[in-house]
């Protein structure tokens, strides 16, 4: 019985809007800690609720985390008209530079409104906010997903966004620790390499993560930081995870890898999963829902470590029923903020 065992240290996607019999059998046998949803899995609220129940039923754990990427802007899986549109965080950052109070209020409203979309569906973990600090000339994969190029402002708005999610009964996931903002290539396709002094990285790239190190979850960057590790990206670098993420930054929440099927990583899928977990990630992440790939990933994943179990439990303890909120008023606040932002641009 899956519920009597310690789950595998992995989060899996699934292929469509409902589980196939082979998927159901695989999840029952593999017993992943939880699941992640994408646009392909999301047709309407009732269908999503049924899918979430089915996924949790496979592992016989009603509290199995269900994740989604709902950042706002161009990275959203739940889209209008069925779900409320949320602007890119870069727009909120641009407003905050001119009107700090309005920016903070907009960041909180964005997080709280996203939570109001997710929590009723049974989705309890949002892979947001992006705390990366874009550098001049960097690849556009981060771009306006980031709040700003000022680490202090990123941290300030990121905290408000997280507060909104948490008050709405959803756990935030900080992305992409310890920082993807300087990447000159897209890690979905290639491996970014950052060759910069430790002091500069600490002052700028790592700073927002350090400021929010008390948050419950974070997702690694598939990025090489040559100042710490010549070859391995953060996801598979024991040095970066121990010295930077757990050390200098001081993050002691749940550490999940970015998607293991991305082009930045090399080697077999099983070896990628094994390398990420051995380096110090608590969880491996595989997103595309391809059964053959998931079977291979599962072969590289052991059970959740004792430390990871404790972190998952601590994170779960922050989950609660959404606190009462005036959703129309929050939507009006965010709408007014975006009108103000547009007027300034």
């Amino acid at each position: 019985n899956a519920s009597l065992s310690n789950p595998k240290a992995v989060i899996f996607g699934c292929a469509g809007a409902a589980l196939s019999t082979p998927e159901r059998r695989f999840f029952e046998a593999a017993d992943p800690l939880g699941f992640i949803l994408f646009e392909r899995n999301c047709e309407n609220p009732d269908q999503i609720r049924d899918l979430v129940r089915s996924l949790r039923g496979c592992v016989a754990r009603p509290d199995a985390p269900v994740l989604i990427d709902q950042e706002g802007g161009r990275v959203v899986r739940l889209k209008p008209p069925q779900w409320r549109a949320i602007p890119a965080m870069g727009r909120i950052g641009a407003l905050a530079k001119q009107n700090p109070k309005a920016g903070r209020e907009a960041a909180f409203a964005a997080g709280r409104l996203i939570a109001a979309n997710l929590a009723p569906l049974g989705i309890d973990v949002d892979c947001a906010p992006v705390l990366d600090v874009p550098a001049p000339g960097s690849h556009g994969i981060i771009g306006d997903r980031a709040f700003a190029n000022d680490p202090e402002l990123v941290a300030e708005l990121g905290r408000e966004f997280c507060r909104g999610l948490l008050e709405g009964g959803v756990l935030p996931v900080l992305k992409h620790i310890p920082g993807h903002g300087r990447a000159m290539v897209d890690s979905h396709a290639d491996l970014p390499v950052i060759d910069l002094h430790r002091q500069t990285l600490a002052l700028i790239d790592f700073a927002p993560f350090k400021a929010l190190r008390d948050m419950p979850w974070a997702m690694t960057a598939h990025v090489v930081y040559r100042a710490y590790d010549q070859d391995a990206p953060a996801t598979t670098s024991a040095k970066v995870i121990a010295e930077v993420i757990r050390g200098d930054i001081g993050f002691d929440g749940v550490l999940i890898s970015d998607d293991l099927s991305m082009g930045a990583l090399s080697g077999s899928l099983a070896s990628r999963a094994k390398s990420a977990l051995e380096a110090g990630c608590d969880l491996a992440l595989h997103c595309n829902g391809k059964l053959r790939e998931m079977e291979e990933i599962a072969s590289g994943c052991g059970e959740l470590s004792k430390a990871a179990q404790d972190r998952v439990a601590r994170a779960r303890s922050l989950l609660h029923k959404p606190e009462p909120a005036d959703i129309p008023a929050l939507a009006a606040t965010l709408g007014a903020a975006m009108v103000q932002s547009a007027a300034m641009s």
Side-chain angles (χ1 to χ4, degrees), residues 203-279:
L203 283 172
I204 298 172
D205 305 64
F206 304 165
F209 296 98
K210 187 166 187 170
L212 271 73
R213 63 186 179 275
D214 55 320
M215 289 296 130
W217 286 58
M219 179 181 288
T220 62
H222 295 334
V223 174
V224 171
Y225 305 86
R226 284 247 165 99
Y228 294 89
D229 191 317
Q230 285 292 308
D231 305 304
T235 302
T236 58
S237 171
K239 288 179 185 174
V240 172
I241 291 176
E243 290 183 37
V244 180
I245 295 174
R246 299 298 192 197
D248 295 345
I249 288 171
F251 177 73
D252 193 31
V254 179
L255 187 65
I256 183 170
S257 77
D258 204 346
D259 183 11
L260 293 179
S261 60
M262 286 164 63
L265 302 183
S266 56
S268 70
L269 288 170
S271 71
R272 295 179 190 193
K274 192 166 183 285
S275 296
L277 295 170
E278 286 181 349

Side-chain angles (χ1 to χ4, degrees), residues 84 86 106-119 160-170 321-327 330:
R84 182 178 286 104
I86 303 291
F108 171 80
R112 185 64 187 81
L113 291 168
I114 288 173
N117 281 341
L118 302 185
E160 287 301 306
F161 181 93
C162 289
R163 191 167 68 84
L165 281 181
L166 287 163
E167 286 194 13
V170 174
K321 285 184 179 175
E323 294 180 17
D326 187 338
I327 298 300
L330 286 166

